[in-house]
Structure formats: C-alpha cells, structure tokens
Amino acid sequence: MTTKNTANSASFGVDREALSSHIDTDFTRIVEELSNLVAIPGIAWESFDAHQLDRSAEAVAQLVRDAGMEHVDILRVPTDSGAMGGPAIVANRPARDGKPTILLYAHHDVQPPGDEELWNTKPFEATEIDGRLFGRGAADDKAGIMVHIAALRAVLAKVEEFGLGVTFFLEGEEEAGSPSFRNFLETHRDRLEADVIVVADSSNWKVGVPALTTSLRGMAGGVVEVRVLDHAVHSGMFGGPVLDAPTIAARLISTFHDEQGNVAIAGLVSNDHAEIDYPEADFRTDSSVLDSVQLAGTGKISDRLWNKPALSIIGMDVPTVAVSSNTMIPATRFKLSLRLAPGQDPAEAVEAVRVHILAQDLRGAQVTFESDESGQAFATDTSAAAAQASLWALGEAWGVPAVETGIGGSIPFISDLLEVFPAAQILVTGVEDPDSRAHSANESLHLGDFRHAILAEALLLARLNNHGL
C-alpha cells in the first residue's frame, strides 16, 4: 500500500531545501566517487583476486574518514570453518545529548561480471548512458555505500547541532553469503549496537516511486545428486534398458511444481495477503520474460513474488554440449534455490524438501540431498517510529508517497541482526529499480533516483537528530 503523510519537513525542524541544495552541489563528486569504487573488482569468492577486495575496503574506508566519521577500522573475523572472513569497514560517530544511534549498512563486495560478452559496456568501468550509470556494483551495492556517505556529508554541513549517533558497517562478503557475519556481530557487538539499523540493499517500486521494503522471503537451498551407474558407458551399447542420470534428475525436477507452476512440496507456507498488485505487463517488462511464456503460479503476482515459495534450479553438473560424447552419464548433481514465504521456518522447509525428494519413484536411482544454506524471512512493523520516519523521508525526497513492498529475494543476515540486536528497529531501503539488473550483465543505477535516495536518508538522519524516536 502507499503511505500518505501530510507532515512536511518544517514540521520536524528539517530544512529540506538546504539539504537538497547541498546534495545537488555535491552530486558530480558523488557520482565520480561511485565510479571510482566501481572500477575496483572486489569479489569475495575464493577464485578471484583477494587483493582487489582489500583495495575496495581501503577505498571505502578513506571515503568514510573523509566524510567525518571517527574510529574508522577495517576488520575481519573468522568464519565457523576457521577461514578468515572478508574485510568490513566499521566506523563510529558517538551520540551526544541522549540522542539515538543509527547504524548504516551496505556492502562493498560485488558479484562476478559473468560473461563479459553480454555486457554493452565494460563491467568495471562506470559508464553513464541516458541517465543511468552502468557497471558491476553501480547499484548493488556500492551505490548504497555512497548514499550513506553523501547523506552524512549533507547533514553535517546543513544540520546545526548534529548529535545523532552514526555507525557505518560496510560489509565485504555479502555476495559470498556473509559467512562470517554472525561471528562479526558477536565480536564487535559494542561498536555495532544501535537503535535503528538501515540496510541499504533493496529496490524501489519503480523509477520515480520510492519504496520501503517491509517483507523479505526467507531462503533454503541444497544440492541433489542422482546416480544410476557405477561409471560412464557407451550410450549405443547400453542405452535403452537404463535411463541416464540427467534424465532421472529431470523427472525429479518436474515434481517440484504442479501443472499451474505452483511449488508442489507439501509442508511449505504460502500466503495471499499483498495489498498491492504488480501489473502483469510491468512484470513482463521488468523480468524480460518472453511474450510467449505463460507466467507460473496462481493468485496476485505480488503474492507470488513476496508471500509464496519459489523454487529454481540454479546449477547442474552435466557435460556441456561442446564436450558431449555418446556416453551415458552415470551421475549428475543439481543445486536448487528455494525462497520461503514469511512465517516459514527454514529448517522445516529443508526437511519438507528432503521428504519430497526421497518419496519420489525414480526407478531405484540413488538420490541424496544435502542442504547448504538457509535464512529467515523478515517483516517490518510499519507503525514503529523509525519506519514512519523513513516513509515520510522517502515521500519528501521523491515528491510522491512511498510504497510499502515485499521483495522476492532474501537477506538472510537480517535474522542475525534481529537476534543480536532485538531492540533495534530495522529499515530495508535501496537504490535499485526493476531495470537495475543486479547480478546480471548490464547492471545499472538510475541517477535521478540515486539522488533522491541520498536526500531521503539525509532527511531521515535530520529528523531523528531533531526529534529522536
């Protein structure tokens, strides 16, 4: 739904025009700083150069220092396996006069570029085209970092007696699954504790319309192995009496959805309570689904995206066509990714998937399932003071009412934030839009909405400074 708030900036002692003017004057510099960050291919996967991730952390830390933050450190903690986690920037500006503290989160690591032939520009060279900035990380999530930095610079320049406590937590391994995140929170709890936490890693409703993300799906995933032979054999000599492993795997995969495309695994939560819908024409444009493809599932598209489970096969081990031969494949593996509706316990979802897989008649094939990730769903109390302040700030910055939306994706570490800091109010905001193509080729940022996002966060900081929670 949209949130209508008739209070203007003056109602909270906030000089919107002064903040807006400062951001406009600073904007060329902000885009240049973002472009410099995009140029650093900081990827937290073991198969990529770790030095680049360190370069990224150092560059972000210097921007944070220059913005006026104190006690700026690049920190790492071990994962549960003992490996060292990615470099995170933590900086603190202590609260004064009893004012609350706000923690501003984003991540500086990025996804790999993928097939660079699919890019229209160089992935690590920020390129502006028709009001959008293209490049890996331009939107996800280096723009989130620059929103925090630029908003802080604006309030420090234009808000008198700024005593709001501000903490930066800029992670360096989010795209790799945040393996050290919980340990990091526990280790540095004293430096990260806050009254409000802003996670700038989501999306707006569309270009020109801001959104506060009020729900996220949880997630679960795992790897299935299907084996039918001890070793590979000639497909002509032995084909016929035995079905190869990819064929058996395909039969298993076909049981995950019903004829209408709904997930058909018993025991998974499914809800129908979205207050707004996603028009089919808009969804088709935003998702790039082919005109000939029928959409899957039933009910509102918004519910299918936000409040119902979704299962995708995201990887499969079979020979590529280029190296295939007349050989029956003895075994294959595939990885499934399951998004969970709010209210679903991830452990119960994993068990439901396991029971479903092992219950199928696969002609005696050996089948195993190993879970490899899970995360809780998230829902915001939009009546809370911080959420109301954020909705107001978004509306003021964009000039149109903010929309309260769900997101089909997951941010599993939010459940860790809730558990370690149960008293904190968590806000999920973002700078992306449906055409940002995060994780895909030609990732981009709408520069007009980027400017609005900076102003919205500056307004939020100023309001919390002046009026608290």
Side-chain angles (χ1 to χ4, degrees):
M1 66 178 182
T2 56
T3 298
K4 298 180 180 179
N5 193 323
T6 58
N8 58 28
S9 300
S11 303
F12 301 103
V14 176
D15 191 339
R16 179 193 185 282
E17 296 311 312
L19 292 170
S20 180
S21 177
H22 182 277
I23 292 165
D24 285 340
T25 301
D26 201 31
F27 197 64
T28 298
R29 171 193 176 190
I30 295 167
V31 174
E32 181 179 350
E33 291 167 335
L34 174 58
S35 298
N36 291 338
L37 293 181
V38 169
I40 305 173
I43 300 168
W45 298 14
E46 290 183 359
S47 53
F48 289 85
D49 183 2
H51 171 65
Q52 297 293 350
L53 193 61
D54 291 334
R55 282 186 61 215
S56 177
E58 291 286 355
V60 171
Q62 190 58 52
L63 287 171
V64 172
R65 292 186 191 99
D66 293 344
M69 291 296 290
E70 305 168 12
H71 314 297
V72 181
D73 296 295
I74 298 174
L75 304 171
R76 296 174 182 261
V77 302
T79 66
D80 289 340
S81 67
M84 192 56 67
I89 298 91
V90 176
N92 302 92
R93 184 182 175 88
R96 301 196 309 267
D97 305 321
K99 295 181 184 294
T101 294
I102 186 169
L103 184 148
L104 305 176
Y105 168 93
H107 64 88
H108 66 90
D109 66 305
V110 299
Q111 282 279 322
D115 184 354
E116 295 193 22
E117 292 187 1
L118 298 177
W119 286 78
N120 298 325
T121 63
K122 294 180 180 180
F124 294 107
E125 183 178 305
T127 306
E128 184 177 347
I129 303 174
D130 296 332
R132 300 190 73 98
L133 191 71
F134 288 81
R136 175 60 84 225
D140 182 19
D141 186 31
K142 290 176 176 178
I145 290 172
M146 290 310 306
V147 165
H148 295 330
I149 289 171
L152 178 67
R153 290 200 302 235
V155 294
L156 290 179
K158 296 300 178 180
V159 176
E160 296 181 5
E161 300 181 1
F162 185 77
L164 184 70
V166 179
T167 298
F168 277 29
F169 175 25
L170 307 175
E171 189 192 353
E173 59 178 18
E174 193 273 346
E175 299 292 8
S178 303
S180 72
F181 190 89
R182 181 58 178 259
N183 291 344
F184 197 98
L185 297 186
E186 298 284 4
T187 302
H188 299 291
R189 180 194 298 257
D190 291 346
R191 291 192 63 177
L192 299 175
E193 192 161 11
D195 302 288
V196 178
I197 299 173
V198 175
V199 176
D201 195 18
S202 188
S203 180
N204 289 300
W205 181 237
K206 60 183 177 181
V207 170
V209 180
L212 180 67
T213 299
T214 57
S215 71
L216 295 160
R217 286 193 290 199
M219 67 182 301
V223 175
V224 179
E225 182 175 274
V226 176
R227 177 172 290 276
V228 299
L229 297 164
D230 283 334
H231 57 271
V233 296
H234 194 293
S235 61
M237 296 292 290
F238 296 98
V242 180
L243 295 179
D244 57 86
T247 296
I248 294 293
R251 292 168 67 94
L252 172 58
I253 291 169
S254 72
T255 70
F256 292 155
H257 297 85
D258 65 20
E259 289 299 317
Q260 295 176 299
N262 298 295
V263 176
I265 296 175
L268 297 182
V269 173
S270 181
N271 301 309
D272 290 278
H273 54 224
E275 295 188 29
I276 58 174
D277 201 4
Y278 199 149
E280 181 172 337
D282 291 348
F283 175 80
R284 286 183 173 276
T285 298
D286 295 341
S287 66
S288 78
V289 65
L290 300 179
D291 290 342
S292 60
V293 173
Q294 181 179 350
L295 299 187
T298 54
K300 291 180 180 178
I301 291 176
S302 51
D303 275 319
R304 288 181 247 174
L305 286 171
W306 307 338
N307 298 317
K308 295 185 177 186
L311 192 153
S312 302
I313 305 305
I314 60 173
M316 194 167 186
D317 292 340
V318 292
T320 64
V321 171
V323 300
S324 60
S325 64
N326 288 321
T327 304
M328 294 187 67
I329 308 302
T332 188
R333 299 191 312 156
F334 64 86
K335 180 172 172 59
L336 63 87
S337 175
L338 178 63
R339 302 294 172 160
L340 308 175
Q344 174 76 69
D345 178 84
E348 293 179 0
V350 168
E351 186 58 24
V353 172
R354 186 188 314 281
V355 169
H356 177 91
I357 289 172
L358 299 182
Q360 303 308 307
D361 179 4
L362 299 175
R363 310 183 70 83
Q366 294 178 2
V367 181
T368 62
F369 170 66
E370 295 294 334
S371 173
D372 62 0
E373 61 183 349
S374 66
Q376 293 280 355
F378 166 75
T380 301
D381 177 5
T382 56
S383 67
Q388 286 295 302
S390 182
L391 289 165
W392 166 84
L394 291 167
E396 282 284 298
W398 262 264
V400 297
V403 177
E404 299 172 18
T405 67
I407 291 291
S410 309
I411 307 180
F413 64 73
I414 287 183
S415 62
D416 292 321
L417 290 171
L418 287 167
E419 290 176 13
V420 178
F421 305 117
Q425 298 180 45
I426 297 180
L427 306 173
V428 181
T429 64
V431 295
E432 297 174 29
D433 63 79
D435 200 34
S436 287
R437 304 189 190 186
H439 295 204
S440 181
N442 301 307
E443 176 182 346
S444 70
L445 171 73
H446 188 276
L447 291 173
D449 278 1
F450 178 47
R451 182 222 175 258
H452 294 328
I454 296 168
L455 177 57
E457 187 161 295
L459 290 168
L460 174 64
L461 295 177
R463 173 167 162 170
L464 292 179
N465 178 74
N466 294 352
H467 286 268
L469 292 170

